[in-house]
Amino acid sequence: MKLNITLFLLVSTGLLTGLIYLYFTSSWDNSYTHQSNQTAPHKEQTNYLKSTKTHSDKQKNFCSPQGLSYKQPSVFDLDEEVVPLTPWLAPIVWEGTFDPMLIDSIYKQQNITIATTVFALGKYTQFLKDFLESAEQNYFVGFRVHYYVFTDQPEQVPEVKMGEEHNLTVLKVPSSNRWQDISLSRMARLEKLIESRLINEADYVFSLDVDSKFYGRWGVETLGRLIGVIHPWFYGYPREQFTYERRPESQAFIPYSEGDYYYGGAVIGGLVEDVYQLAKTCREQLDIDASKSIEAAWQEESHLNKYFICNKPSKLLSPEYLWDDKKWKPEEIKIIRFSQVLKNYAEIRPNP
């Protein structure tokens, strides 16, 4: 009798457990089916990966809040020697801080393309020959380079012998009666070029001033996520003397108490997607200023400096990479690689 009762209890318990299992399994299946009808499982995975990637992208940017008070960085240490790092640990590229043979061999394996834009409008076409010929001797020699020349006079673009895997495309744009308008349009044209072509054709992009000449190596040591070049005339100055835009009404406004370095607008560079974000943001800020009839002190250069306040460059190029032929070379500058040439602005600019 006891055996029969025990057997009955065991069977009953087993049946009850099975019913509970089937109930919850059915409920879970129904719930899963309902969710699947709304969003497929692989879509959920995609969304998760997208979310993770976005988080990763944010982590890679050197972002700092506006108004943060800290000591101005210097390119010199206490012994008056140049420093190789910024306070946010971005490298500053000076002669002697890299091994050209080693760094070239590393990047050679990556099969990269460097797009390079120059703007040669009006009488600025006269600088194209020296720019391109000197570039072919010094600029990313041995790597794939594609120049994009924006000009209102395509017939004035000189024929320059290109090195292996170096190409040039001429893009015709309208002329302008003000040199400031040429400067102001640079970000918009760079933004559109990246959208239409470079996003699928290049890995890195540089936008360089055409009224300049290469005197030494400019290579893969300059590559990085977002590149800023230290202006040759301001690297020893206190930030209060920087020619930032100081009017609060402008989107480029920077208070006297803020700023790291003064960055030259003659060089803009980095990964295509990061330069796109820079160009797009600056173009939007320029549009807002224009709607208020405001023109920043140094047009796109002012907005570039504002962008770099909150979006720190991941690598800085020393003034070796943006010199000025009319400036004497001090002891800390071991080599001049790229320099703005002597010129008479009154003769080449369409307006004062």
Side-chain angles (χ1 to χ4, degrees):
M1 185 67 176
K2 290 182 178 179
L3 180 61
N4 291 336
I5 293 173
T6 301
L7 182 61
F8 173 78
L9 290 174
L10 287 173
V11 173
S12 300
T13 301
L15 288 172
L16 181 61
T17 301
L19 288 171
I20 292 173
Y21 172 78
L22 288 172
Y23 171 78
F24 282 106
T25 301
S26 176
S27 297
W28 185 84
D29 284 342
N30 290 336
S31 175
Y32 182 83
T33 303
H34 178 68
Q35 291 178 6
S36 298
N37 289 334
Q38 296 180 10
T39 307
H42 72 276
K43 292 289 186 181
E44 292 182 346
Q45 178 75 3
T46 301
N47 289 339
Y48 173 75
L49 290 174
K50 183 177 181 181
S51 174
T52 302
K53 186 178 187 301
T54 302
H55 179 69
S56 175
D57 286 347
K58 288 181 180 178
Q59 290 286 3
K60 75 180 181 180
N61 294 329
F62 296 119
C63 296
S64 65
Q66 286 185 251
L68 183 66
S69 179
Y70 55 91
K71 183 180 178 182
Q72 179 187 351
S74 174
V75 298
F76 300 107
D77 61 20
L78 295 177
D79 297 322
E80 293 300 312
E81 298 292 330
V82 295
V83 297
L85 290 173
T86 69
W88 59 91
L89 300 182
I92 305 177
V93 184
W94 300 90
E95 172 69 8
T97 59
F98 63 94
D99 182 326
M101 184 179 296
L102 174 61
I103 197 167
D104 281 355
S105 67
I106 292 170
Y107 276 89
K108 266 293 185 183
Q109 303 174 65
Q110 299 181 22
N111 195 32
I112 57 174
T113 297
I114 301 101
T116 303
T117 69
V118 289
F119 294 80
L121 282 81
K123 294 182 179 180
Y124 275 76
T125 55
Q126 66 187 275
F127 300 111
L128 269 172
K129 190 173 190 299
D130 276 352
F131 176 92
L132 291 170
E133 288 183 345
S134 64
E136 284 305 289
Q137 295 296 316
N138 300 286
Y139 186 71
F140 289 108
V141 176
F143 290 85
R144 188 182 300 113
V145 173
H146 196 144
Y147 302 99
Y148 295 87
V149 178
F150 288 88
T151 183
D152 56 342
Q153 303 172 72
E155 69 281 0
Q156 295 297 321
V157 177
E159 289 189 14
V160 174
K161 184 179 179 180
M162 293 284 147
E164 185 178 357
E165 294 192 292
H166 282 210
N167 299 288
L168 186 148
T169 296
V170 177
L171 302 171
K172 187 173 182 179
V173 294
S175 59
S176 178
N177 294 324
R178 297 176 70 243
W179 68 264
Q180 293 93 337
D181 291 334
I182 297 171
S183 180
L184 288 165
S185 66
R186 180 177 177 184
M187 290 298 186
R189 285 173 175 153
L190 181 57
E191 177 190 4
K192 289 179 181 178
L193 179 64
I194 292 174
E195 282 181 346
S196 62
R197 300 186 62 161
L198 302 190
I199 197 68
N200 297 314
E201 296 178 5
D203 303 285
Y204 297 90
V205 57
F206 279 96
S207 184
L208 306 175
D209 272 8
V210 71
D211 54 338
S212 307
K213 188 175 178 179
F214 293 88
Y215 294 99
R217 171 197 164 98
W218 180 309
V220 292
E221 73 279 358
T222 65
L223 298 179
R225 180 184 58 78
L226 189 60
I227 305 301
V229 63
I230 300 172
H231 199 288
W233 289 101
F234 293 103
Y235 67 89
Y237 282 48
R239 58 170 68 138
E240 293 83 5
Q241 295 182 28
F242 290 169
T243 55
Y244 289 152
E245 173 54 57
R246 302 299 188 181
R247 292 171 295 172
E249 298 80 14
S250 172
Q251 297 297 305
F253 167 64
I254 300 175
Y256 287 96
S257 59
E258 294 184 33
D260 300 314
Y261 309 90
Y262 190 88
Y263 299 99
V267 177
I268 300 169
L271 286 170
V272 167
E273 53 267 35
D274 287 275
V275 175
Y276 174 75
Q277 189 58 49
L278 180 155
K280 181 174 183 290
T281 302
C282 288
R283 190 266 307 160
E284 290 171 346
Q285 301 304 305
L286 284 159
D287 287 347
I288 293 173
D289 271 10
S291 70
K292 300 177 181 178
S293 299
I294 298 173
E295 186 175 291
W298 290 104
Q299 295 81 41
E300 91 284 6
E301 183 176 84
S302 296
H303 288 270
L304 173 74
N305 274 275
K306 177 59 178 286
Y307 186 85
F308 281 153
I309 291 287
C310 306
N311 304 273
K312 308 294 189 192
S314 61
K315 181 181 286 186
L316 274 64
L317 305 183
S318 70
E320 297 171 3
Y321 292 87
L322 180 59
W323 201 247
D324 192 319
D325 280 358
K326 66 175 174 285
K327 182 176 172 63
W328 61 278
K329 185 168 79 71
E331 184 179 350
E332 64 269 10
I333 302 297
K334 307 301 181 186
I335 180 174
I336 295 173
R337 304 179 186 277
F338 185 62
S339 184
Q340 297 187 308
V341 300
L342 294 172
K343 50 197 168 288
N344 184 339
Y345 286 113
E347 291 180 356
I348 61 173
R349 286 178 170 175
N351 62 291

